Amino acid sequence: MMNRLKRIYSTYTQKQNSKHKSQKNRLSTFTKRVMVTTAAASTITLGAMAVHATENSLLGTIYHVYLNGERVGAVDDNELLDKAVNDKIDSVQKQYKDLELSIGNQVSVVPEKVFRPSADNQETIDAVVEQVEVNASASALTIDGKEVVLLKDKEEAEKVIELLKLDYVSKEDLEALEQKQAEQVVEQELPELKNGESRVLDVSIAEKVSFSNKNVDPEDVVTAKEALEQIKKGTKEAKKYEVQAGDSLGDIAEKHDLSSEELLKLNPDIEMSSLLEVGKTLNVSAKKPYLKVLVKEEVSKNEEIPYEQEVIEDEDLPKGETKVKQQGENGEKNVRTIMTKENGVTMKTEVTHDETLKEPVKHIVLKGTKVIPSRGSGSLAWPAVGGYISSKMGHRWGKMHKGIDIARPSEKTIKAADNGVVESAGWDGGYGNKIVINHQNGMKTTYAHLDSMSVSVGETVSRGASIGVMGTTGQSTGVHLHFEVHQDGQLKDPLNYLNN
């Protein structure tokens, strides 16, 4: 039996030595394991034990390393690989201190028992460190099925939503609302609001928002502040704009957050000459935020009820005069409304309570209709037959031009602008022939540079009556009428009183 075991061991040793010298092919324990069989357990000898001890000394473990399912190599010390990977994670962690980093399941190791283990430790480890990706555990904020931003965790993502809400409601209102919702307080149980009070009934997001965990590149993870800015900035959607009277290219561009060049690029098919035609439809761009915050707010406030105004004609009151019979007073009412706002813009207002606290008092005015030949109405007629304003009231040639000049009439007849009494009629230096009519209501009108006059002082004239002929007397550069208006002794612009 002993001789047989020695022969088996000798044969095995020769084969192993031959394989070792050639270095062409290593045999695994699974394909080249030597099996020593004994006749009975009680007959095992010292020689058999020596063979088994020698066999165990040739066995060892190597670790096959796979990266994303692809074999990279093998190491004989798994701890060296672990240390190298952890060192890479630590180096990245220094840059992204707040993130939870890992390599996920990219690297896998499969151990194997082999004879005479041998592995390229450094080559394998270098390949793994170079290729392995360090990932960050993050929470993806998804809006209506579209992933918008990545944050470090769900708590940070929920913080972004809260910050967005705080753009449109106060922290106190939001906390109070959350407390009511936790206590399941319904609107019907809320106390009645007093004048000037308000409360937030609901704050919600119009879109469907969800969060999901995923491993991502640390560079793609943003802070809550950065995420908030990105969500508020949103995307751009195409819109149309109809050109209005008075629009300019710059105004339209600025209104839609564009430069003039960008606006032109959006409308390449429209000729520049017709771009600003009223009614023309232009392509413009408007920002559309990713999320819309809906705020439902109840408000109670007292509002004025404007008084009505009534005018009653009075035949005993001279035409042109008015008199207050009853002074108007505004009323007051309490109005409670529920407003729905979208990103701060009121979209709907529902009146839930409208109670009159004080009735308004009507304002009544008497309007005179009695015609007095010597008294004007305050509304002036055009003092010429046709013609146009050749010079307005204002500074001219270094001095004040006190009235308006009317030139090129259809005919040269000058007419009284309103009922009144002739106060003066004659020559007045630079005015030439001049007529002043006192309209007995605080107003006086002046007619100058007349060629001739057909009325005299003290004469009562009616509105539209002929008082003279247009001319060029006095300091005049041509045939025209110089026309002035004085009200209660103050020079006034005739254009504010003329009524053709």
Side-chain angles (χ1 to χ4, degrees):
M1 182 66 178
M2 179 64 73
N3 290 334
R4 183 183 176 192
L5 290 173
K6 287 182 178 179
R7 286 197 301 272
I8 292 173
Y9 177 68
S10 176
T11 302
Y12 167 75
T13 303
Q14 290 173 3
K15 289 181 179 179
Q16 287 298 103
N17 289 338
S18 174
K19 294 296 182 180
H20 179 66
K21 289 178 182 179
S22 66
Q23 292 293 313
K24 292 182 179 179
N25 197 11
R26 292 192 181 95
L27 304 177
S28 72
T29 57
F30 301 103
T31 58
K32 299 296 182 178
R33 180 178 295 135
V34 174
M35 304 299 294
V36 178
T37 307
T38 61
S42 61
T43 63
I44 295 177
T45 66
L46 292 173
M49 293 174 64
V51 171
H52 187 65
T54 304
E55 178 183 350
N56 284 342
S57 67
L58 296 174
L59 287 174
T61 302
I62 64 169
Y63 302 89
H64 300 281
V65 183
Y66 294 84
L67 185 60
N68 295 323
E70 295 288 334
R71 188 178 184 279
V72 179
V75 295
D76 57 18
D77 188 344
N78 195 29
E79 292 183 359
L80 291 176
L81 178 64
D82 289 343
K83 183 179 184 304
V85 172
N86 287 331
D87 286 346
K88 180 168 185 178
I89 293 175
D90 290 343
S91 68
V92 178
Q93 190 78 67
K94 293 177 182 179
Q95 184 178 356
Y96 303 99
K97 296 180 180 179
D98 295 335
L99 301 181
E100 182 181 336
L101 303 180
S102 67
I103 59 169
N105 59 357
Q106 300 174 64
V107 178
S108 58
V109 176
V110 179
E112 182 182 11
K113 286 283 188 179
V114 297
F115 282 106
R116 300 184 183 279
S118 176
D120 299 322
N121 286 345
Q122 197 59 47
E123 182 179 345
T124 300
I125 290 173
D126 288 346
V128 171
V129 171
E130 180 182 356
Q131 297 177 47
V132 73
E133 296 178 356
V134 178
N135 290 332
S137 176
S139 179
L141 193 157
T142 302
I143 301 172
D144 285 342
K146 179 181 179 182
E147 186 179 293
V148 177
V149 287
L150 297 166
L151 295 112
K152 69 175 185 178
D153 51 35
K154 185 179 179 182
E155 182 180 352
E156 192 81 350
E158 290 175 336
K159 180 182 177 182
V160 172
I161 302 301
E162 181 180 3
L163 289 174
L164 186 63
K165 291 179 179 179
L166 290 176
D167 274 348
Y168 304 103
V169 295
S170 68
K171 187 174 182 180
E172 293 76 13
D173 283 341
L174 188 59
E175 289 176 349
L177 175 63
E178 290 172 350
Q179 183 177 349
K180 290 173 187 173
Q181 291 174 340
E183 296 172 355
Q184 297 183 338
V185 177
V186 296
E187 290 182 20
Q188 289 81 352
E189 299 173 347
L190 296 173
E192 187 175 288
L193 290 177
K194 296 179 181 179
N195 176 41
E197 291 183 338
S198 65
R199 62 184 163 219
V200 175
L201 300 177
D202 188 36
V203 180
S204 62
I205 301 297
E207 294 75 14
K208 182 180 179 182
V209 178
S210 61
F211 312 99
S212 59
N213 295 328
K214 62 187 303 185
N215 291 324
V216 299
D217 188 329
E219 290 186 358
D220 296 333
V221 181
V222 299
T223 65
K225 182 179 179 181
E226 292 170 334
L228 183 64
E229 291 176 354
Q230 186 173 336
I231 289 173
K232 289 165 67 174
K233 183 178 179 181
T235 59
K236 289 190 173 183
E237 65 173 3
K239 282 192 174 182
K240 302 289 185 180
Y241 177 76
E242 186 175 304
V243 178
Q244 308 294 315
D247 275 345
S248 69
L249 186 67
D251 289 339
I252 298 174
E254 183 178 357
K255 189 183 299 182
H256 296 90
D257 196 25
L258 297 168
S259 66
S260 297
E261 291 74 16
E262 288 173 329
L263 181 59
L264 291 173
K265 287 180 181 178
L266 289 170
N267 298 275
D269 299 330
I270 301 179
E271 295 292 334
M272 189 64 186
S273 58
S274 62
L275 186 68
L276 295 178
E277 288 181 359
V278 174
K280 177 74 72 175
T281 300
L282 303 181
N283 295 317
V284 295
S285 183
K287 288 183 178 179
K288 179 184 178 184
Y290 281 112
L291 290 176
K292 294 188 287 291
V293 179
L294 302 179
V295 177
K296 190 177 179 182
E297 182 180 16
E298 185 178 15
V299 178
S300 174
K301 63 178 180 179
N302 289 353
E303 298 179 354
E304 283 188 345
I305 304 176
Y307 60 76
E308 294 181 5
Q309 183 162 316
E310 182 180 2
V311 177
I312 301 176
E313 293 186 347
D314 189 336
E315 61 182 13
D316 295 325
L317 195 65
K319 186 175 182 180
E321 281 192 13
T322 58
K323 182 178 179 180
V324 176
K325 181 179 180 180
Q326 178 175 284
Q327 186 65 47
E329 292 183 15
N330 290 329
E332 187 177 26
K333 63 180 178 179
N334 177 258
V335 180
R336 290 200 293 272
T337 58
I338 294 179
M339 294 184 293
T340 301
K341 297 180 180 180
E342 181 181 293
N343 286 355
V345 179
T346 301
M347 307 301 291
K348 183 175 72 172
T349 300
E350 177 188 358
V351 178
T352 58
H353 177 81
D354 190 334
E355 178 186 1
T356 299
L357 305 176
K358 177 185 174 183
E359 292 288 349
V361 176
K362 185 180 292 187
H363 187 75
I364 302 175
V365 176
L366 299 178
K367 180 182 179 182
T369 60
K370 184 178 181 180
V371 176
I372 300 176
S374 62
R375 185 182 179 87
S377 66
S379 175
L380 303 180
W382 187 254
V385 181
Y388 74 101
I389 299 173
S390 58
S391 182
K392 293 183 179 180
M393 178 178 169
H395 288 280
R396 184 182 70 171
W397 303 330
K399 61 181 181 179
M400 182 68 177
H401 185 230
K402 296 181 179 181
I404 62 172
D405 290 344
I406 300 174
R408 296 184 182 178
S410 301
E411 62 170 277
K412 296 180 181 181
T413 299
I414 302 302
K415 300 184 292 183
D418 204 354
N419 295 346
V421 176
V422 177
E423 186 174 275
S424 66
W427 184 268
D428 188 5
Y431 282 99
N433 290 324
K434 183 184 79 171
I435 296 173
V436 175
I437 298 176
N438 187 335
H439 299 285
Q440 307 294 308
N441 58 3
M443 182 182 291
K444 295 181 181 181
T445 53
T446 300
Y447 312 77
H449 305 311
L450 301 182
D451 183 68
S452 62
M453 300 173 287
S454 56
V455 292
S456 57
V457 175
E459 184 177 340
T460 297
V461 293
S462 59
R463 177 187 178 97
S466 175
I467 58 173
V469 176
M470 186 181 295
T472 183
T473 58
Q475 295 180 359
S476 172
T477 56
V479 177
H480 70 278
L481 169 67
H482 176 80
F483 181 67
E484 294 179 11
V485 173
H486 290 77
Q487 178 69 50
D488 299 322
Q490 300 294 319
L491 184 67
K492 301 293 182 180
D493 188 344
L495 296 179
N496 294 332
Y497 298 88
L498 286 169
N499 181 10
N500 292 331

